[in-house]
Amino acid sequence: MNKVVPIMLAMALTAPLSLSAMQIVSANLTSANLTSDAPKTNSDATVVVGSATKPEFTAHSAKDVSKAADAADSANVLLKKRLHGLQQYQAAFNQTVTDAQGNIVHEAQGTLTMMRPNKLRWETTFPDETLLIADGEAVWNIDTFVEQVTIISQDQAIKDNPIVLLTANDDETWDSFVISKLDDAKASSTLEQYQIVPKSTDGQIKSLTLGFNSDGILSTLDMLDAQDQTSALVFSKQDLDFAIDTAKDNLFSVDVPQSYIIDDQR
């Protein structure tokens, strides 16, 4: 079984998707057909435009659009409030990765530590010991087995990745995503759940679903990627008030041993 790279680094090292040549060809053919079949008179053109291309925008549809916009705004505000309470967060996790058919392809255990803004530490203890640190400017992936450190720009690593909202405060970042609150019919558990979908289709993450318990504490995280693999994390032993001495603790800094190979891709 191939080793699964920690979630943030995996998204950074995977090539982005692009519009397929088939879609481009189809768009060109459609445009050509519309041009060749265009009516010859102004009166005919009026009929074709009115019947074929003018959308039916009724008062009812306008209300639906308004309701959807209000719901999105409400979900955005509610999720911001939940995550604002996570100025710092530390928890043990169990991770299960399944493929599109529901087969388990990887399992892991470890600890996740976050601090707003933009700091994250991901450490696994099973099946392998791995360490990934985002210090606000760069992402450091430390592989103790091969004694190598890979460094990439944090902005590039989490671009269009909804996981960035866990530690981001700025409105520009939040505006890159569509957020919805799952109602009881759509939610997969009794948790209060929010689904985050990138507005851009160029990234490798289709959606991120966050689940909060009755105390408003993050309890689950489900990430669906472009290959239809789902990474499901269940958190336990959550701590929102652990002590950090930034002068002494190195939770979000890296001291690379001299014997390690450094692959700096920034």
PDB file of all heavy atoms in Angstrom, residues 169-199:
ATOM      1  N   ASN A 169      -8.305  34.305   8.744  1.00  0.00           N
ATOM      2  CA  ASN A 169      -9.221  35.316   9.261  1.00  0.00           C
ATOM      3  C   ASN A 169      -9.725  36.289   8.196  1.00  0.00           C
ATOM      4  O   ASN A 169     -10.759  36.924   8.387  1.00  0.00           O
ATOM      5  CB  ASN A 169      -8.518  36.143  10.358  1.00  0.00           C
ATOM      6  CG  ASN A 169      -8.227  35.336  11.611  1.00  0.00           C
ATOM      7  OD1 ASN A 169      -8.977  34.434  11.963  1.00  0.00           O
ATOM      8  ND2 ASN A 169      -7.130  35.657  12.270  1.00  0.00           N
ATOM      9  N   ASP A 170      -9.002  36.428   7.082  1.00  0.00           N
ATOM     10  CA  ASP A 170      -9.288  37.506   6.139  1.00  0.00           C
ATOM     11  C   ASP A 170     -10.484  37.184   5.237  1.00  0.00           C
ATOM     12  O   ASP A 170     -10.721  36.037   4.853  1.00  0.00           O
ATOM     13  CB  ASP A 170      -8.063  37.792   5.276  1.00  0.00           C
ATOM     14  CG  ASP A 170      -7.633  36.579   4.459  1.00  0.00           C
ATOM     15  OD1 ASP A 170      -7.134  35.605   5.073  1.00  0.00           O
ATOM     16  OD2 ASP A 170      -7.811  36.589   3.246  1.00  0.00           O
ATOM     17  N   ASP A 171     -11.239  38.232   4.904  1.00  0.00           N
ATOM     18  CA  ASP A 171     -12.448  38.091   4.086  1.00  0.00           C
ATOM     19  C   ASP A 171     -12.128  37.624   2.676  1.00  0.00           C
ATOM     20  O   ASP A 171     -12.923  36.897   2.058  1.00  0.00           O
ATOM     21  CB  ASP A 171     -13.201  39.426   4.019  1.00  0.00           C
ATOM     22  CG  ASP A 171     -13.823  39.810   5.356  1.00  0.00           C
ATOM     23  OD1 ASP A 171     -14.064  38.902   6.171  1.00  0.00           O
ATOM     24  OD2 ASP A 171     -14.045  41.014   5.588  1.00  0.00           O
ATOM     25  N   GLU A 172     -10.980  38.029   2.137  1.00  0.00           N
ATOM     26  CA  GLU A 172     -10.629  37.645   0.765  1.00  0.00           C
ATOM     27  C   GLU A 172     -10.539  36.133   0.627  1.00  0.00           C
ATOM     28  O   GLU A 172     -11.008  35.543  -0.353  1.00  0.00           O
ATOM     29  CB  GLU A 172      -9.293  38.287   0.366  1.00  0.00           C
ATOM     30  CG  GLU A 172      -8.889  37.986  -1.082  1.00  0.00           C
ATOM     31  CD  GLU A 172      -7.576  38.655  -1.450  1.00  0.00           C
ATOM     32  OE1 GLU A 172      -7.025  39.410  -0.621  1.00  0.00           O
ATOM     33  OE2 GLU A 172      -7.117  38.423  -2.581  1.00  0.00           O
ATOM     34  N   THR A 173      -9.946  35.487   1.624  1.00  0.00           N
ATOM     35  CA  THR A 173      -9.847  34.023   1.594  1.00  0.00           C
ATOM     36  C   THR A 173     -11.222  33.391   1.720  1.00  0.00           C
ATOM     37  O   THR A 173     -11.563  32.465   0.977  1.00  0.00           O
ATOM     38  CB  THR A 173      -8.936  33.528   2.733  1.00  0.00           C
ATOM     39  OG1 THR A 173      -7.623  34.070   2.565  1.00  0.00           O
ATOM     40  CG2 THR A 173      -8.849  32.008   2.738  1.00  0.00           C
ATOM     41  N   TRP A 174     -12.041  33.880   2.625  1.00  0.00           N
ATOM     42  CA  TRP A 174     -13.371  33.323   2.824  1.00  0.00           C
ATOM     43  C   TRP A 174     -14.245  33.483   1.584  1.00  0.00           C
ATOM     44  O   TRP A 174     -15.090  32.630   1.293  1.00  0.00           O
ATOM     45  CB  TRP A 174     -14.032  33.985   4.033  1.00  0.00           C
ATOM     46  CG  TRP A 174     -13.601  33.372   5.332  1.00  0.00           C
ATOM     47  CD1 TRP A 174     -12.411  33.553   5.969  1.00  0.00           C
ATOM     48  CD2 TRP A 174     -14.341  32.448   6.140  1.00  0.00           C
ATOM     49  NE1 TRP A 174     -12.361  32.814   7.124  1.00  0.00           N
ATOM     50  CE2 TRP A 174     -13.536  32.132   7.262  1.00  0.00           C
ATOM     51  CE3 TRP A 174     -15.605  31.883   6.028  1.00  0.00           C
ATOM     52  CZ2 TRP A 174     -13.956  31.252   8.248  1.00  0.00           C
ATOM     53  CZ3 TRP A 174     -16.034  31.017   7.023  1.00  0.00           C
ATOM     54  CH2 TRP A 174     -15.211  30.705   8.117  1.00  0.00           C
ATOM     55  N   ASP A 175     -14.043  34.554   0.838  1.00  0.00           N
ATOM     56  CA  ASP A 175     -14.851  34.797  -0.358  1.00  0.00           C
ATOM     57  C   ASP A 175     -14.540  33.825  -1.488  1.00  0.00           C
ATOM     58  O   ASP A 175     -15.242  33.803  -2.507  1.00  0.00           O
ATOM     59  CB  ASP A 175     -14.643  36.232  -0.857  1.00  0.00           C
ATOM     60  CG  ASP A 175     -15.281  37.263   0.056  1.00  0.00           C
ATOM     61  OD1 ASP A 175     -16.165  36.874   0.850  1.00  0.00           O
ATOM     62  OD2 ASP A 175     -14.903  38.457  -0.015  1.00  0.00           O
ATOM     63  N   SER A 176     -13.525  33.002  -1.322  1.00  0.00           N
ATOM     64  CA  SER A 176     -13.159  32.028  -2.355  1.00  0.00           C
ATOM     65  C   SER A 176     -13.962  30.735  -2.247  1.00  0.00           C
ATOM     66  O   SER A 176     -13.766  29.816  -3.052  1.00  0.00           O
ATOM     67  CB  SER A 176     -11.656  31.705  -2.263  1.00  0.00           C
ATOM     68  OG  SER A 176     -10.875  32.854  -2.448  1.00  0.00           O
ATOM     69  N   PHE A 177     -14.880  30.668  -1.278  1.00  0.00           N
ATOM     70  CA  PHE A 177     -15.600  29.424  -1.031  1.00  0.00           C
ATOM     71  C   PHE A 177     -17.099  29.669  -0.858  1.00  0.00           C
ATOM     72  O   PHE A 177     -17.517  30.746  -0.442  1.00  0.00           O
ATOM     73  CB  PHE A 177     -15.055  28.733   0.227  1.00  0.00           C
ATOM     74  CG  PHE A 177     -13.573  28.455   0.166  1.00  0.00           C
ATOM     75  CD1 PHE A 177     -12.659  29.354   0.689  1.00  0.00           C
ATOM     76  CD2 PHE A 177     -13.096  27.307  -0.437  1.00  0.00           C
ATOM     77  CE1 PHE A 177     -11.296  29.126   0.618  1.00  0.00           C
ATOM     78  CE2 PHE A 177     -11.742  27.057  -0.513  1.00  0.00           C
ATOM     79  CZ  PHE A 177     -10.838  27.964   0.009  1.00  0.00           C
ATOM     80  N   VAL A 178     -17.867  28.636  -1.184  1.00  0.00           N
ATOM     81  CA  VAL A 178     -19.307  28.645  -0.946  1.00  0.00           C
ATOM     82  C   VAL A 178     -19.569  27.766   0.273  1.00  0.00           C
ATOM     83  O   VAL A 178     -19.156  26.599   0.307  1.00  0.00           O
ATOM     84  CB  VAL A 178     -20.084  28.109  -2.158  1.00  0.00           C
ATOM     85  CG1 VAL A 178     -21.578  28.036  -1.843  1.00  0.00           C
ATOM     86  CG2 VAL A 178     -19.832  28.987  -3.381  1.00  0.00           C
ATOM     87  N   ILE A 179     -20.256  28.322   1.258  1.00  0.00           N
ATOM     88  CA  ILE A 179     -20.477  27.613   2.516  1.00  0.00           C
ATOM     89  C   ILE A 179     -21.962  27.373   2.729  1.00  0.00           C
ATOM     90  O   ILE A 179     -22.780  28.271   2.534  1.00  0.00           O
ATOM     91  CB  ILE A 179     -19.913  28.430   3.693  1.00  0.00           C
ATOM     92  CG1 ILE A 179     -18.409  28.656   3.492  1.00  0.00           C
ATOM     93  CG2 ILE A 179     -20.180  27.725   5.026  1.00  0.00           C
ATOM     94  CD1 ILE A 179     -17.819  29.664   4.429  1.00  0.00           C
ATOM     95  N   SER A 180     -22.311  26.167   3.103  1.00  0.00           N
ATOM     96  CA  SER A 180     -23.708  25.840   3.378  1.00  0.00           C
ATOM     97  C   SER A 180     -23.793  25.039   4.668  1.00  0.00           C
ATOM     98  O   SER A 180     -22.915  24.231   4.983  1.00  0.00           O
ATOM     99  CB  SER A 180     -24.327  25.041   2.224  1.00  0.00           C
ATOM    100  OG  SER A 180     -23.591  23.860   1.968  1.00  0.00           O
ATOM    101  N   LYS A 181     -24.845  25.280   5.411  1.00  0.00           N
ATOM    102  CA  LYS A 181     -25.107  24.527   6.647  1.00  0.00           C
ATOM    103  C   LYS A 181     -26.020  23.370   6.297  1.00  0.00           C
ATOM    104  O   LYS A 181     -27.088  23.563   5.712  1.00  0.00           O
ATOM    105  CB  LYS A 181     -25.758  25.419   7.703  1.00  0.00           C
ATOM    106  CG  LYS A 181     -25.934  24.757   9.063  1.00  0.00           C
ATOM    107  CD  LYS A 181     -26.494  25.768  10.059  1.00  0.00           C
ATOM    108  CE  LYS A 181     -26.603  25.167  11.453  1.00  0.00           C
ATOM    109  NZ  LYS A 181     -27.574  24.051  11.512  1.00  0.00           N
ATOM    110  N   LEU A 182     -25.587  22.159   6.619  1.00  0.00           N
ATOM    111  CA  LEU A 182     -26.374  20.980   6.278  1.00  0.00           C
ATOM    112  C   LEU A 182     -27.535  20.839   7.249  1.00  0.00           C
ATOM    113  O   LEU A 182     -27.345  20.877   8.469  1.00  0.00           O
ATOM    114  CB  LEU A 182     -25.497  19.726   6.310  1.00  0.00           C
ATOM    115  CG  LEU A 182     -24.278  19.727   5.375  1.00  0.00           C
ATOM    116  CD1 LEU A 182     -23.560  18.391   5.448  1.00  0.00           C
ATOM    117  CD2 LEU A 182     -24.687  20.039   3.946  1.00  0.00           C
ATOM    118  N   ASP A 183     -28.727  20.673   6.699  1.00  0.00           N
ATOM    119  CA  ASP A 183     -29.883  20.467   7.566  1.00  0.00           C
ATOM    120  C   ASP A 183     -29.928  19.014   8.002  1.00  0.00           C
ATOM    121  O   ASP A 183     -29.098  18.183   7.613  1.00  0.00           O
ATOM    122  CB  ASP A 183     -31.180  20.880   6.863  1.00  0.00           C
ATOM    123  CG  ASP A 183     -31.401  20.136   5.550  1.00  0.00           C
ATOM    124  OD1 ASP A 183     -30.925  18.989   5.422  1.00  0.00           O
ATOM    125  OD2 ASP A 183     -32.046  20.702   4.648  1.00  0.00           O
ATOM    126  N   ASP A 184     -30.909  18.676   8.831  1.00  0.00           N
ATOM    127  CA  ASP A 184     -30.983  17.327   9.400  1.00  0.00           C
ATOM    128  C   ASP A 184     -31.125  16.254   8.331  1.00  0.00           C
ATOM    129  O   ASP A 184     -30.649  15.132   8.492  1.00  0.00           O
ATOM    130  CB  ASP A 184     -32.163  17.234  10.378  1.00  0.00           C
ATOM    131  CG  ASP A 184     -31.951  18.102  11.608  1.00  0.00           C
ATOM    132  OD1 ASP A 184     -30.781  18.425  11.886  1.00  0.00           O
ATOM    133  OD2 ASP A 184     -32.946  18.470  12.252  1.00  0.00           O
ATOM    134  N   ALA A 185     -31.773  16.598   7.213  1.00  0.00           N
ATOM    135  CA  ALA A 185     -31.986  15.617   6.158  1.00  0.00           C
ATOM    136  C   ALA A 185     -30.686  15.280   5.439  1.00  0.00           C
ATOM    137  O   ALA A 185     -30.485  14.162   4.968  1.00  0.00           O
ATOM    138  CB  ALA A 185     -33.021  16.128   5.158  1.00  0.00           C
ATOM    139  N   LYS A 186     -29.769  16.257   5.333  1.00  0.00           N
ATOM    140  CA  LYS A 186     -28.519  16.052   4.611  1.00  0.00           C
ATOM    141  C   LYS A 186     -27.367  15.669   5.519  1.00  0.00           C
ATOM    142  O   LYS A 186     -26.405  15.045   5.080  1.00  0.00           O
ATOM    143  CB  LYS A 186     -28.154  17.327   3.842  1.00  0.00           C
ATOM    144  CG  LYS A 186     -29.136  17.694   2.741  1.00  0.00           C
ATOM    145  CD  LYS A 186     -28.700  18.953   2.030  1.00  0.00           C
ATOM    146  CE  LYS A 186     -29.677  19.336   0.929  1.00  0.00           C
ATOM    147  NZ  LYS A 186     -29.270  20.590   0.236  1.00  0.00           N
ATOM    148  N   ALA A 187     -27.439  16.054   6.778  1.00  0.00           N
ATOM    149  CA  ALA A 187     -26.345  15.766   7.700  1.00  0.00           C
ATOM    150  C   ALA A 187     -26.233  14.274   7.954  1.00  0.00           C
ATOM    151  O   ALA A 187     -27.234  13.565   8.052  1.00  0.00           O
ATOM    152  CB  ALA A 187     -26.554  16.511   9.015  1.00  0.00           C
ATOM    153  N   SER A 188     -24.988  13.801   8.048  1.00  0.00           N
ATOM    154  CA  SER A 188     -24.755  12.366   8.236  1.00  0.00           C
ATOM    155  C   SER A 188     -24.685  11.982   9.711  1.00  0.00           C
ATOM    156  O   SER A 188     -24.456  10.826  10.040  1.00  0.00           O
ATOM    157  CB  SER A 188     -23.454  11.963   7.540  1.00  0.00           C
ATOM    158  OG  SER A 188     -22.364  12.698   8.064  1.00  0.00           O
ATOM    159  N   SER A 189     -24.870  12.932  10.614  1.00  0.00           N
ATOM    160  CA  SER A 189     -24.823  12.643  12.040  1.00  0.00           C
ATOM    161  C   SER A 189     -25.621  13.704  12.783  1.00  0.00           C
ATOM    162  O   SER A 189     -26.260  14.558  12.182  1.00  0.00           O
ATOM    163  CB  SER A 189     -23.367  12.633  12.526  1.00  0.00           C
ATOM    164  OG  SER A 189     -22.851  13.947  12.533  1.00  0.00           O
ATOM    165  N   THR A 190     -25.584  13.635  14.107  1.00  0.00           N
ATOM    166  CA  THR A 190     -26.302  14.610  14.924  1.00  0.00           C
ATOM    167  C   THR A 190     -25.478  15.877  15.138  1.00  0.00           C
ATOM    168  O   THR A 190     -25.930  16.795  15.827  1.00  0.00           O
ATOM    169  CB  THR A 190     -26.638  13.994  16.295  1.00  0.00           C
ATOM    170  OG1 THR A 190     -25.417  13.554  16.921  1.00  0.00           O
ATOM    171  CG2 THR A 190     -27.577  12.803  16.131  1.00  0.00           C
ATOM    172  N   LEU A 191     -24.287  15.931  14.558  1.00  0.00           N
ATOM    173  CA  LEU A 191     -23.436  17.100  14.706  1.00  0.00           C
ATOM    174  C   LEU A 191     -23.971  18.268  13.886  1.00  0.00           C
ATOM    175  O   LEU A 191     -24.709  18.091  12.919  1.00  0.00           O
ATOM    176  CB  LEU A 191     -22.010  16.772  14.248  1.00  0.00           C
ATOM    177  CG  LEU A 191     -21.263  15.677  15.011  1.00  0.00           C
ATOM    178  CD1 LEU A 191     -19.939  15.378  14.329  1.00  0.00           C
ATOM    179  CD2 LEU A 191     -21.037  16.076  16.464  1.00  0.00           C
ATOM    180  N   GLU A 192     -23.581  19.470  14.260  1.00  0.00           N
ATOM    181  CA  GLU A 192     -23.861  20.649  13.453  1.00  0.00           C
ATOM    182  C   GLU A 192     -22.807  20.686  12.344  1.00  0.00           C
ATOM    183  O   GLU A 192     -21.614  20.837  12.616  1.00  0.00           O
ATOM    184  CB  GLU A 192     -23.774  21.898  14.315  1.00  0.00           C
ATOM    185  CG  GLU A 192     -24.048  23.197  13.576  1.00  0.00           C
ATOM    186  CD  GLU A 192     -23.920  24.403  14.486  1.00  0.00           C
ATOM    187  OE1 GLU A 192     -24.506  24.371  15.602  1.00  0.00           O
ATOM    188  OE2 GLU A 192     -23.233  25.360  14.109  1.00  0.00           O
ATOM    189  N   GLN A 193     -23.244  20.528  11.089  1.00  0.00           N
ATOM    190  CA  GLN A 193     -22.296  20.336   9.998  1.00  0.00           C
ATOM    191  C   GLN A 193     -22.351  21.456   8.959  1.00  0.00           C
ATOM    192  O   GLN A 193     -23.433  21.956   8.633  1.00  0.00           O
ATOM    193  CB  GLN A 193     -22.541  18.995   9.306  1.00  0.00           C
ATOM    194  CG  GLN A 193     -22.221  17.793  10.192  1.00  0.00           C
ATOM    195  CD  GLN A 193     -22.355  16.486   9.438  1.00  0.00           C
ATOM    196  OE1 GLN A 193     -23.382  16.212   8.843  1.00  0.00           O
ATOM    197  NE2 GLN A 193     -21.317  15.683   9.472  1.00  0.00           N
ATOM    198  N   TYR A 194     -21.172  21.802   8.450  1.00  0.00           N
ATOM    199  CA  TYR A 194     -21.042  22.828   7.410  1.00  0.00           C
ATOM    200  C   TYR A 194     -20.235  22.248   6.250  1.00  0.00           C
ATOM    201  O   TYR A 194     -19.186  21.623   6.467  1.00  0.00           O
ATOM    202  CB  TYR A 194     -20.339  24.065   7.946  1.00  0.00           C
ATOM    203  CG  TYR A 194     -21.098  24.776   9.034  1.00  0.00           C
ATOM    204  CD1 TYR A 194     -20.967  24.395  10.373  1.00  0.00           C
ATOM    205  CD2 TYR A 194     -21.965  25.825   8.737  1.00  0.00           C
ATOM    206  CE1 TYR A 194     -21.669  25.027  11.376  1.00  0.00           C
ATOM    207  CE2 TYR A 194     -22.674  26.470   9.743  1.00  0.00           C
ATOM    208  CZ  TYR A 194     -22.523  26.068  11.051  1.00  0.00           C
ATOM    209  OH  TYR A 194     -23.228  26.703  12.052  1.00  0.00           O
ATOM    210  N   GLN A 195     -20.721  22.483   5.049  1.00  0.00           N
ATOM    211  CA  GLN A 195     -19.994  22.039   3.857  1.00  0.00           C
ATOM    212  C   GLN A 195     -19.363  23.247   3.166  1.00  0.00           C
ATOM    213  O   GLN A 195     -20.020  24.272   2.958  1.00  0.00           O
ATOM    214  CB  GLN A 195     -20.922  21.320   2.881  1.00  0.00           C
ATOM    215  CG  GLN A 195     -20.192  20.705   1.692  1.00  0.00           C
ATOM    216  CD  GLN A 195     -21.135  19.954   0.778  1.00  0.00           C
ATOM    217  OE1 GLN A 195     -21.960  20.540   0.089  1.00  0.00           O
ATOM    218  NE2 GLN A 195     -21.041  18.634   0.790  1.00  0.00           N
ATOM    219  N   ILE A 196     -18.103  23.115   2.825  1.00  0.00           N
ATOM    220  CA  ILE A 196     -17.340  24.196   2.184  1.00  0.00           C
ATOM    221  C   ILE A 196     -16.900  23.715   0.812  1.00  0.00           C
ATOM    222  O   ILE A 196     -16.244  22.675   0.693  1.00  0.00           O
ATOM    223  CB  ILE A 196     -16.114  24.569   3.031  1.00  0.00           C
ATOM    224  CG1 ILE A 196     -16.517  24.857   4.481  1.00  0.00           C
ATOM    225  CG2 ILE A 196     -15.397  25.765   2.432  1.00  0.00           C
ATOM    226  CD1 ILE A 196     -15.345  24.901   5.436  1.00  0.00           C
ATOM    227  N   VAL A 197     -17.249  24.475  -0.222  1.00  0.00           N
ATOM    228  CA  VAL A 197     -16.923  24.103  -1.605  1.00  0.00           C
ATOM    229  C   VAL A 197     -16.155  25.250  -2.257  1.00  0.00           C
ATOM    230  O   VAL A 197     -16.612  26.404  -2.223  1.00  0.00           O
ATOM    231  CB  VAL A 197     -18.197  23.802  -2.423  1.00  0.00           C
ATOM    232  CG1 VAL A 197     -17.846  23.466  -3.868  1.00  0.00           C
ATOM    233  CG2 VAL A 197     -18.982  22.654  -1.783  1.00  0.00           C
ATOM    234  N   PRO A 198     -14.983  24.970  -2.847  1.00  0.00           N
ATOM    235  CA  PRO A 198     -14.234  26.044  -3.519  1.00  0.00           C
ATOM    236  C   PRO A 198     -15.003  26.582  -4.731  1.00  0.00           C
ATOM    237  O   PRO A 198     -15.627  25.824  -5.468  1.00  0.00           O
ATOM    238  CB  PRO A 198     -12.943  25.348  -3.973  1.00  0.00           C
ATOM    239  CG  PRO A 198     -12.866  24.094  -3.161  1.00  0.00           C
ATOM    240  CD  PRO A 198     -14.275  23.689  -2.875  1.00  0.00           C
ATOM    241  N   LYS A 199     -14.957  27.899  -4.935  1.00  0.00           N
ATOM    242  CA  LYS A 199     -15.563  28.482  -6.130  1.00  0.00           C
ATOM    243  C   LYS A 199     -14.743  28.126  -7.370  1.00  0.00           C
ATOM    244  O   LYS A 199     -15.290  27.962  -8.456  1.00  0.00           O
ATOM    245  CB  LYS A 199     -15.654  29.997  -5.978  1.00  0.00           C
ATOM    246  CG  LYS A 199     -16.664  30.449  -4.931  1.00  0.00           C
ATOM    247  CD  LYS A 199     -16.724  31.958  -4.825  1.00  0.00           C
ATOM    248  CE  LYS A 199     -17.735  32.403  -3.769  1.00  0.00           C
ATOM    249  NZ  LYS A 199     -17.775  33.878  -3.618  1.00  0.00           N
TER     250      LYS A 199
END
